[in-house]
């Protein structure tokens, strides 16, 4: 096996998903670059892999400092780079190490395997011919809302990572932005309680308010419909808006959300208001 950096995917839940090649590389590697040494050492133990290695923590806070050290080691040794679970570099540390290794002429190899992003898309039933991965959703309310509004018009399936303790806030923020668009939340992927729930943001909110959300989650949003007027029950949507808003505000909200003709929506809103 050649010296260099091996980017190795590890299981996201089911240990049986580790590949034979991944085990071979992890067994041969002298250096293991990982997010959390405790998590990775536990994985090695569960997989029956030798732990007589040098485990080096590589995370967002120390990536710059550790990269130089790892590059020196990778020039003459086998370095395996892993994340806590799944495919490294996908919203995890490591791209700086790979980038600098390539510039320095140090060999980089990929050892593919489980990836929550891809697994979730396979479960969702949403369009997969084109998708955009937007990483972890911001924790702050304004940043979360700004991100959704920035991406809402992109004609592709949107994919985000989220945590169970924030999914309610996230779906609450998503509801007025994505409206009736189909969404899906996949959680506990490859584990005993694997689940993928589909519906609008409001329907998903109802589900997770009734059942306490648990586990790491992937949130997906279907592309905007090409002909919104034909796909939505406009009267129902307007009636809901008019319960809490003036005609002007209700029309504005619906037009912005679905990209409809303002005059047509306004005329329908007036009729509904006067009924």
């Amino acid at each position: 096996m050649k010296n260099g950096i091996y980017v190795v995917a590890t299981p996201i839940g089911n240990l049986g998903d580790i590949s034979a090649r991944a085990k071979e590389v992890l067994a041969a590697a002298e250096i293991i670059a990982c997010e959390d040494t405790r998590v990775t050492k536990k994985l090695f133990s569960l997989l029956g892999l030798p732990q007589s290695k040098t485990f080096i923590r590589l995370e967002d806070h120390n990536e710059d400092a550790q990269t130089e050290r790892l590059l020196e080691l990778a020039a003459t040794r086998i370095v395996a780079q892993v994340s806590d679970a799944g495919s490294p570099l996908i919203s995890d540390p490591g791209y700086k190490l790979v980038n600098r290794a390539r510039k320095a002429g140090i060999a980089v190899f990929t050892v593919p395997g489980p990836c929550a992003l891809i697994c979730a898309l396979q479960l969702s039933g949403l369009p997969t011919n084109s998708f955009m991965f937007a990483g972890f959703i911001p924790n702050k309310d304004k940043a979360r809302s700004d991100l959704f509004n920035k991406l809402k018009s992109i004609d592709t399936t949107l994919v985000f990572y989220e945590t169970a303790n924030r999914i309610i806030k996230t779906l609450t923020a998503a509801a007025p932005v994505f409206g009736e668009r189909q969404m899906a939340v996949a959680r506990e992927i490859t584990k005993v309680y694997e689940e993928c729930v589909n519906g609008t943001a409001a329907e998903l909110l109802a589900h997770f308010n009734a059942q306490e959300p648990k586990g790491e989650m992937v949130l997906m949003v279907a592309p905007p419909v090409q002909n919104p007027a034909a796909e939505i029950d406009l009267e129902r949507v307007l009636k809901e808006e008019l319960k809490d808003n003036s005609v002007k505000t209700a029309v504005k909200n619906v037009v912005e959300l679905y990209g409809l003709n303002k005059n047509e929506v306004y005329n329908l809103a007036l009729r509904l208001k006067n009924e």
Side-chain angles (χ1 to χ4, degrees), residues 184-251:
V185 173
R187 67 179 196 89
E188 297 289 86
I189 299 172
T190 77
K191 299 178 183 178
V192 174
Y193 297 105
E194 177 180 275
E195 176 184 49
C196 187
V197 187
N198 290 61
T200 63
E203 290 167 340
L204 292 175
L205 266 173
H207 173 83
F208 288 113
N209 276 318
Q211 299 183 36
E212 182 185 359
K214 295 180 180 180
E216 297 300 315
M217 297 183 165
V218 181
L219 171 65
M220 295 155 282
V221 184
V225 291
Q226 295 303 310
N227 184 7
E231 298 289 337
I232 65 170
D233 184 342
L234 184 56
E235 284 199 17
R236 182 178 68 82
V237 172
L238 271 174
K239 284 178 180 178
E240 288 297 315
E241 285 286 340
L242 288 167
K243 286 180 181 179
D244 303 310
N245 299 304
S246 65
V247 169
K248 182 179 179 180
T249 301
V251 170

Side-chain angles (χ1 to χ4, degrees), residues 93-155:
Y95 91 88
K96 292 179 182 178
L97 174 62
V98 171
N99 180 278
R100 288 186 57 186
R102 292 180 63 83
K103 290 179 179 178
I106 295 171
V108 179
F109 308 91
T110 180
V111 185
C115 177
L117 158 66
I118 301 302
C119 293
L121 282 166
Q122 291 170 330
L123 289 171
S124 71
L126 300 183
T128 56
N129 58 310
S130 172
F131 61 88
M132 175 182 174
F133 177 56
F136 283 96
I137 296 170
N139 189 29
K140 301 291 186 180
D141 291 343
K142 184 179 185 305
R144 184 189 293 116
S145 180
D146 287 347
L147 176 65
F148 289 160
N149 278 295
K150 176 183 175 182
L151 301 179
K152 68 179 181 181
S153 298
I154 297 177
D155 187 20

